[in-house]
Amino acid sequence: MSARPDEWRRASAQRLSGRLLRHGGAVPGIATLRPEGRLQRVVGLTLEAVGCRLPIGARVQVDSADGRGIEAEVVGFAGERTFLMPTAEMRGLMPNARVHPLAGGAGIKAGDALLGRVLDAEGQPIDGRGRLQGDAHARVDATPINPLTRAPVTLPLDVGVRTINSLLTVGRGQRLGLFAGTGVGKSTLLGMMTRFTQADVVVVGLIGERGREVREFLDKSLGAEGLQRAVVVATPADRSPLLRLRAAYTATAIAEHFRDRGRHVLLLMDSLTRFAQAAREIGLAIGEPPTTRGYPPSVFARLPGLVERAGNGREGQGSITAFYTVLTEGDDLQDPIADAARGILDGHIVLSRAIADAGLYPAIDIEASISRVMHDIVDDTQLQQARRLRALFAAYQRNRDLINIGAYQRGADAKVDAALERWPRIEEFLKQSVREAARLDDSRRRLAELLG
């Protein structure tokens, strides 16, 4: 007796499923099955769906009441439940709404057509200047280069800031953190480096900034001249955590594209802290346990995964010199993200509120800052001069209160006497106008003259 139709269909589906698995999800001559699911419930920032067996990172569209649909990404699963994170507001979602898988990989347009443009987290232009041209593409989820095939950091990079060029010399392909609280000139310093750094291409990632600050950075800090050789990826704070996370990867992918074609790239990402906060929101939303100050373990795994993609390319390729800003809550340098960032970066530059309050801009604390590759890219003379100036700066700062009230007596400490004698010239050396570019050779010469 022949099998019933429903049994025959079930057996055929099982055979086809086995063939799909053997052929990596596609059978020649047969269209690939695209399983649809149903929205089961909404929990906080996440959607739970059943019936859609998709890998993490896959994109879907969820039907909504207005018919437009809401795009989401698979961020986790548990048994038959699939966790989705929407990229927009969840207004209009309905119970039991259909979930459709979306085709396409994690790629964006790249190439010289991006120069002078402002993009969103998806790599789409938001500057009102029309669509992007060109056929080049870059993968957002590229893997880091094998560390044994990277070119070493051997050449200094002129960033146009006197204090950094002379005392914290940056190497081409180095990755540094810019640690600062609120209101101490972080964005201004980034704008200076954007305009003055000797790089072929500048890629700026504004992650989680206020919308007003994005426009101010473009108009004031970057300017029309700086924008000509720059690509800006902007995702304000009101966007979903998924988009804020994706924006950092998009900016890195664009920098990688230019580096792999022999360009020397300056990557400025503001900020690594808001990248971590977006990852925290996603991790907590899918049930990951919080650890240090509410950050789940996945956050501390994502940080090196992002940072390690920057740096020098293979021999004969270009480089990515990266600056990642780190917001120190309450000026606390022991903040979990700040502490983790120091361990994975090649140096850190600390901006001090006390120095800013004293009227010294840029407010770089040269005592607390370090460039871990400086000893490989400068001569011994500059190293000794930098250490000597640090010692004079530290001696003055430790006795500042006594000096200000007139309680310090000259002759009590030879190092303090030397710092007191040179302090007006030291202050003048450390100050720099936002419209003044201090070139590398000139910075070294002025350092030698100061200590001469």
Side-chain angles (χ1 to χ4, degrees):
M1 187 174 179
S2 61
R4 295 193 299 273
D6 57 343
E7 294 176 349
W8 181 87
R9 283 194 295 269
R10 190 180 306 113
S12 299
Q14 291 174 349
R15 289 194 297 272
L16 179 58
S17 176
R19 295 177 66 196
L20 286 170
L21 289 174
R22 288 194 300 274
H23 289 273
V27 178
I30 300 178
T32 302
L33 293 180
R34 304 196 61 80
E36 292 186 355
R38 293 282 180 176
L39 183 63
Q40 190 175 52
R41 66 173 183 163
V42 178
V43 183
L45 299 175
T46 58
L47 314 177
E48 289 187 11
V50 294
C52 51
R53 300 183 177 220
L54 296 169
I56 290 178
R59 299 189 183 187
V60 300
Q61 180 170 299
V62 185
D63 288 348
S64 59
D66 56 14
R68 292 182 299 178
I70 296 175
E71 185 177 332
E73 183 176 306
V74 178
V75 294
F77 54 83
E80 296 296 322
R81 295 177 299 156
T82 301
F83 301 130
L84 312 173
M85 179 71 67
T87 60
E89 292 186 11
M90 294 184 285
R91 186 180 296 112
L93 288 180
M94 303 174 295
N96 209 34
R98 288 194 300 174
V99 179
H100 310 272
L102 294 177
I108 57 171
K109 284 205 170 193
D112 289 347
L114 270 61
L115 296 177
R117 303 301 300 271
V118 183
L119 314 176
D120 63 10
E122 305 282 357
Q124 298 300 318
I126 57 174
D127 52 10
R129 295 173 50 194
R131 300 179 60 183
L132 296 174
Q133 304 298 323
D135 299 326
H137 287 79
R139 288 198 60 84
V140 174
D141 56 354
T143 56
I145 298 175
N146 184 332
L148 298 182
T149 64
R150 282 187 187 272
V153 179
T154 57
L155 297 175
L157 178 68
D158 187 351
V159 299
V161 180
R162 187 181 304 112
T163 303
I164 298 176
N165 279 343
S166 58
L167 305 177
L168 304 163
T169 309
V170 176
R172 192 182 294 278
Q174 189 176 356
R175 298 160 298 194
L176 292 101
L178 185 59
F179 292 70
T182 57
V184 292
K186 167 179 56 66
S187 297
T188 303
L189 181 57
L190 286 179
M192 291 173 64
M193 289 191 291
T194 303
R195 294 191 301 273
F196 302 147
T197 299
Q198 292 185 341
D200 300 324
V201 178
V202 178
V203 180
V204 182
L206 301 178
I207 315 299
E209 293 284 350
R210 294 185 289 271
R212 175 186 60 80
E213 291 180 328
V214 172
R215 185 58 184 267
E216 284 186 356
F217 183 86
L218 292 175
D219 294 343
K220 298 179 180 179
S221 299
L222 187 58
E225 181 181 353
L227 186 60
Q228 290 179 0
R229 60 169 183 155
V231 184
V232 179
V233 180
T235 303
D238 61 342
R239 301 301 190 267
S240 75
L242 184 64
L243 289 180
R244 280 178 269 142
L245 203 68
R246 193 179 296 168
Y249 292 118
T250 297
T252 304
I254 293 172
E256 287 173 326
H257 171 83
F258 287 110
R259 176 194 63 190
D260 295 343
R261 281 150 185 81
R263 306 282 189 91
H264 296 295
V265 183
L266 175 66
L267 173 62
L268 303 175
M269 192 166 295
D270 187 14
S271 69
L272 195 65
T273 302
R274 293 197 173 108
F275 170 85
Q277 290 171 347
R280 175 175 63 181
E281 292 179 41
I282 295 174
L284 295 179
I286 63 176
E288 195 176 352
T291 53
T292 309
R293 291 200 188 176
Y295 287 98
S298 63
V299 173
F300 301 100
R302 286 183 184 270
L303 291 176
L306 175 70
V307 170
E308 285 296 325
R309 290 173 59 178
N312 280 331
R314 298 178 180 88
E315 294 287 350
Q317 292 184 339
S319 64
I320 301 176
T321 306
F323 284 84
Y324 300 90
T325 67
V326 180
L327 302 175
T328 53
E329 299 180 5
D331 297 332
D332 180 13
L333 292 177
Q334 304 307 316
D335 174 86
I337 301 304
D339 191 50
R342 279 197 302 272
I344 60 177
L345 294 170
D346 304 323
H348 50 271
I349 297 172
V350 179
L351 299 187
S352 166
R353 191 173 303 278
I355 295 176
D357 291 342
L360 268 176
Y361 286 98
I364 298 175
D365 187 345
I366 60 175
E367 288 184 90
S369 305
I370 187 173
S371 171
R372 292 196 175 107
V373 304
M374 182 175 175
H375 61 280
D376 293 325
I377 57 177
V378 303
D379 55 35
D380 290 339
T381 301
Q382 185 181 346
L383 274 178
Q384 295 299 326
Q385 291 170 345
R387 289 169 182 165
R388 186 178 170 195
L389 182 56
R390 284 171 180 266
L392 293 175
F393 184 88
Y396 186 91
Q397 293 296 332
R398 282 195 298 268
N399 294 272
R400 188 183 193 97
D401 292 339
L402 292 176
I403 294 171
N404 287 340
I405 64 175
Y408 176 77
Q409 298 295 322
R410 288 182 180 269
D413 189 316
K415 187 173 290 186
V416 178
D417 290 345
L420 190 58
E421 179 184 351
R422 288 181 171 87
W423 186 249
R425 296 171 59 198
I426 292 175
E427 279 191 314
E428 189 63 29
F429 177 83
L430 298 177
K431 285 181 181 179
Q432 185 174 338
S433 168
V434 296
R435 291 176 291 275
E436 172 195 359
R439 300 273 61 106
L440 185 62
D441 290 339
D442 183 66
S443 300
R444 291 169 172 169
R445 179 184 58 81
R446 289 195 56 179
L447 175 63
E449 290 176 352
L450 174 64
L451 301 174

